[in-house]
Amino acid sequence: MRKHRLFYILLAMIACLVVLNGRLFWIQVAASRNWSEHGVDLVENSVIQREKGIVLDSGRGDFYDSHGVALTGKELQVLTVFPFPNSENSKNHFPENNAHASERIAAILHRSEQEWVRFAASLKSPEVWKESGKPVELNEQQIAQIRELNLPQLAVTKLKQRYGESQLASHVIGYIGQNPERITRQFTDQFHRGELQLTSKIGGAGLEKAFEPWLQGIGATTLSLFTDAAKKPLSGLDARTVAPNNAYYPLKFITTLDASIQKRVEQAMRKLQIEEGAAVVLDATNADVLAMASQPGFNPEHIDLANGTWTNKALKAMAPGSIFKTVTAAAALDEHAARAGEKFHCDGEYGKYGLTCWNKEGHGTLTLEEGYAQSCNIVFATIAERLGGVQLEDYAARLGLGVNVGWTGDFMQLRDFQEWDSEEKGQVFAAGTRKEDGGVKAQSSIGQRDVQVTPLQAANLVVTLLNQGDVKAPRIVKEVRYQNGRLLEALKPKEVGGLPGRISAGTAKRLLSWMEDVVDHGTGKALQQTKWAVAGKSGTAQVTDAHGNKLVNQWFIGYGPVPKPRYAVAVLVQNVPESDKNKSIPLFREVMDSIAAHQW
């Protein structure tokens, strides 16, 4: 009988152990897979209960200039503060050996003790110490003093700041922001796998948008403080950094930009108080973008989608004015509609189509090359009527106008990947226009009526001439590398495909010499005193704003130094009152001089 009782007691104990083990299995395995009654991950939430953390690095890839200078992802040494126990009276809840810690922390941060106590008492979750809403970068002395306090609620950490206070090349890089609709539409798989949430920030413009799928990292770096139920730090855990252990990610995107030149171009636009416009500097040999600036500026951390300041004007098509005469001249020379040295007469009016010359008194008798140097409307209207409208459009394409010129090609197993976000291709004629109408051709030949060109195309036109008619495709990202520096993918220089042909090398050479004449004795004489010899073409396009006000777009395109061209530049000062002085030529000079000073 006694043996039977022992057997039943042992059986009951075994049954209890089975139940307990089953329950433990449920909590550790089943519950961690959202199989609980309410679909809650109990294991994860048990960790959350005792872990208070802050994201130090989102894990997103960064952009660099061609020399390895970081354009995004600056690391700041900052103070991370965790909620104090009984934070409503945090001043009195430091360890006994740190009774005056509040006073000491305030002194280290150069703030009042009351301000520090108020901040510490308000904490519900970990926060970085900020002033005016911006993280405060600590110096070495402050870091040493904070560490001497030996308080588990304080941690000196490296915070990765996506954008700088004055972000370089902000319009090129773009911005990141929340876009739930695009996440569910474009990144469906990542959303369903939980890699992206509706609140995740993704690229909204520029390179951030174009390279979004590869910029996404494999996890954030966080700093966590493990506490008990009373919010006291757990012995042996305290503050701990948790980061993905991967030598390959996040990826590094190496651009063609030169940070030094980019900075100088942006400074030039601010110096001349350019309110609206763009400037582009290309490598004369392969059309790589060395600098690209747009005004008005914007702060990537605070985006106002409505005002459009984030738009990169270097990629937007606008009326080009007389820089388009380069196309008309190329067509005339290659199609033998006019010859170098041929004489024309300008008395200020064309006599039809209501077309006049900018010089109301007229230029008198002048040759074709003089007409280019003086930017005579009458000369080019005369030539245009000898050409067909289709020919004019064809030669524009041969020079990279009216088409997308930005780098497109195979990338990461994708075909026809486009580096440039929202690049416009512009046009010569609007849809439905009678291209062979004399008035249409005359107005279009001087860059008016429906003609539209982007500053990127305008700079690339100069590169095309410098390369004897080869239309290069401007790059902005040239390599993608793993975090350890190993090359993942290279985007090699290439030419624009699908064009109807090319201009002759002889015509390209002649037009370059005519650009020298523009500076020597034409509309660009103000550029004769630059630090190195330059050449180019001016343009002024008449435009009308939404309120009917008459304004102008001021352009200058060109290259330098003339003996051995290294840089092709296009500048645009947009929507300027007709009565204002020309700022495009001073801007071109400022850009070229700043590059010359940098090179010397």
Side-chain angles (χ1 to χ4, degrees):
M1 195 67 178
R2 185 180 177 184
K3 290 182 178 180
H4 282 91
R5 282 199 301 269
L6 289 174
F7 173 76
Y8 288 123
I9 291 171
L10 183 59
L11 190 63
M13 291 176 65
I14 293 173
C16 289
L17 287 173
V18 170
V19 171
L20 287 173
N21 278 303
R23 181 59 177 167
L24 184 61
F25 170 81
W26 178 259
I27 292 173
Q28 291 187 327
V29 180
S32 69
R33 286 165 171 75
N34 293 339
W35 293 348
S36 59
E37 182 180 354
H38 300 289
V40 177
D41 191 325
L42 299 180
V43 173
E44 179 182 343
N45 279 274
S46 70
V47 174
I48 292 173
Q49 276 188 322
R50 66 176 186 269
E51 177 188 354
K52 297 294 182 180
I54 186 169
V55 176
L56 301 176
D57 180 356
S58 68
R60 190 174 179 84
D62 284 306
F63 295 101
Y64 298 80
D65 88 337
S66 58
H67 304 293
V69 177
L71 299 174
T72 59
K74 179 183 178 181
E75 284 192 340
L76 306 177
Q77 293 269 46
V78 299
L79 173 62
T80 299
V81 187
F82 294 87
F84 286 81
N86 301 317
S87 60
E88 66 276 2
N89 192 19
S90 60
K91 180 179 178 181
N92 299 322
H93 286 270
F94 291 103
E96 291 182 4
N97 62 339
N98 281 291
H100 301 288
S102 279
E103 182 180 345
R104 294 171 64 186
I105 295 170
I108 293 170
L109 299 175
H110 308 299
R111 312 303 292 182
S112 69
E113 185 178 1
Q114 292 79 9
E115 187 174 354
W116 163 254
V117 171
R118 188 164 54 248
F119 169 77
S122 68
L123 294 179
K124 303 297 182 185
S125 59
E127 285 191 27
V128 170
W129 173 254
K130 299 178 181 179
E131 291 180 10
S132 302
K134 299 177 181 178
V136 177
E137 187 170 13
L138 303 175
N139 59 40
E140 292 302 320
Q141 183 181 8
Q142 289 174 311
I143 292 171
Q145 291 173 336
I146 290 170
R147 286 175 175 163
E148 284 177 5
L149 293 175
N150 196 30
L151 287 172
Q153 289 88 356
L154 305 181
V156 175
T157 59
K158 289 183 179 180
L159 176 69
K160 199 168 185 181
Q161 194 173 38
R162 185 68 185 170
Y163 306 116
E165 188 170 343
S166 298
Q167 178 60 47
L168 202 63
S170 58
H171 292 87
V172 176
I173 292 170
Y175 66 90
I176 56 175
Q178 294 181 355
N179 192 330
E181 187 275 333
R182 186 163 153 247
I183 286 175
T184 56
R185 172 174 46 84
Q186 187 174 345
F187 302 104
T188 308
D189 291 343
Q190 288 146 290
F191 175 65
H192 289 313
R193 289 196 300 265
E195 297 170 359
L196 287 176
Q197 288 75 46
L198 294 179
T199 55
S200 297
K201 289 186 176 182
I202 61 174
L207 295 179
E208 296 277 26
K209 183 178 180 181
F211 288 88
E212 172 61 35
W214 305 279
L215 283 164
Q216 297 170 16
I218 58 173
T221 298
T222 61
L223 178 71
S224 300
L225 181 68
F226 294 86
T227 63
D228 60 18
K231 296 185 180 179
K232 294 180 180 179
L234 288 172
S235 178
L237 290 178
D238 296 339
R240 182 173 297 181
T241 301
V242 180
N245 184 20
N246 193 301
Y248 297 98
Y249 293 89
L251 298 176
K252 296 181 175 182
F253 294 78
I254 313 302
T255 71
T256 60
L257 294 172
D258 184 314
S260 179
I261 295 177
Q262 178 72 32
K263 184 176 181 179
R264 291 166 184 266
V265 171
E266 292 184 13
Q267 288 174 338
M269 296 188 79
R270 288 193 293 269
K271 178 180 178 180
L272 293 173
Q273 299 180 331
I274 307 300
E275 296 180 1
E276 203 173 350
V280 179
V281 181
L282 301 183
D283 186 311
T285 59
N286 62 5
D288 277 355
V289 178
L290 304 179
M292 177 180 281
S294 178
Q295 280 293 109
F298 85 107
N299 183 349
E301 296 284 4
H302 303 285
I303 304 297
D304 184 348
L305 295 177
N307 66 20
T309 55
W310 51 271
T311 301
N312 188 353
K313 289 186 175 291
L315 303 178
K316 300 303 173 186
M318 288 159 274
S322 294
I323 64 170
F324 191 79
K325 289 172 182 173
T326 307
V327 173
T328 308
L333 292 172
D334 271 4
E335 294 296 326
H336 307 292
R339 65 183 187 280
E342 181 179 350
K343 294 183 178 180
F344 299 83
H345 184 76
C346 168
D347 59 10
E349 294 186 5
Y350 190 48
K352 50 185 175 179
Y353 313 130
L355 192 145
T356 61
C357 187
W358 66 267
N359 184 344
K360 303 302 179 184
E361 296 181 358
H363 290 102
T365 300
L366 69 176
T367 62
L368 176 56
E369 47 267 48
E370 289 170 344
Y372 186 86
Q374 298 297 332
S375 201
C376 177
N377 290 346
I378 306 306
V379 170
F380 284 88
T382 303
I383 292 172
E385 291 207 79
R386 302 177 185 176
L387 293 165
V390 173
Q391 285 179 315
L392 204 58
E393 195 170 42
D394 178 86
Y395 275 86
R398 293 182 186 212
L399 287 166
L401 307 185
V403 297
N404 291 122
V405 295
W407 194 99
T408 301
D410 295 342
F411 174 70
M412 298 288 195
Q413 300 180 337
L414 291 181
R415 294 184 62 83
D416 299 325
F417 170 76
Q418 296 180 342
E419 281 198 348
W420 296 97
D421 168 48
S422 302
E423 178 199 357
E424 294 181 356
K425 68 178 184 177
Q427 63 181 22
V428 177
F429 302 106
T433 300
R434 296 172 56 196
K435 300 177 184 179
E436 303 307 325
D437 179 85
V440 170
K441 291 189 295 181
Q443 289 286 343
S444 301
S445 71
I446 60 173
Q448 289 287 168
R449 206 175 190 278
D450 301 323
V451 183
Q452 292 186 332
V453 173
T454 71
L456 178 62
Q457 290 173 329
N460 200 48
L461 181 153
V462 179
V463 176
T464 300
L465 298 180
L466 291 169
N467 285 273
Q468 300 182 322
D470 293 336
V471 184
K472 307 292 184 179
R475 285 188 305 175
I476 185 61
V477 171
K478 63 178 182 178
E479 293 176 350
V480 181
R481 292 186 175 272
Y482 289 112
Q483 187 62 212
N484 61 7
R486 180 182 172 186
L487 180 66
L488 171 62
E489 186 99 1
L491 298 88
K492 297 180 179 179
K494 60 184 304 182
E495 296 182 4
V496 178
L499 300 181
R502 51 179 291 166
I503 67 168
S504 67
T507 291
K509 183 177 180 180
R510 190 182 298 275
L511 289 172
L512 291 172
S513 70
W514 290 4
M515 286 184 173
E516 293 182 46
D517 294 341
V518 169
V519 174
D520 182 67
H521 57 270
T523 56
K525 287 187 292 185
L527 295 169
Q528 292 177 358
Q529 303 304 316
T530 51
K531 290 184 178 180
W532 58 24
V534 299
K537 180 72 185 79
S538 63
T540 303
Q542 297 175 336
V543 294
T544 304
D545 67 11
H547 305 289
N549 300 313
K550 292 184 177 181
L551 305 169
V552 294
N553 291 340
Q554 300 170 346
W555 294 77
F556 200 90
I557 62 174
Y559 62 94
V562 168
K564 295 182 179 180
R566 297 174 59 189
Y567 305 96
V569 176
V571 299
L572 162 67
V573 183
Q574 189 184 6
N575 295 329
V576 180
E578 289 184 308
S579 58
D580 281 15
K581 290 184 179 180
N582 188 295
K583 282 189 176 182
S584 64
I585 292 177
L587 178 57
F588 183 88
R589 175 174 179 171
E590 194 73 31
V591 169
M592 277 297 194
D593 279 352
S594 67
I595 297 175
H598 169 64
Q599 296 302 315
W600 293 347

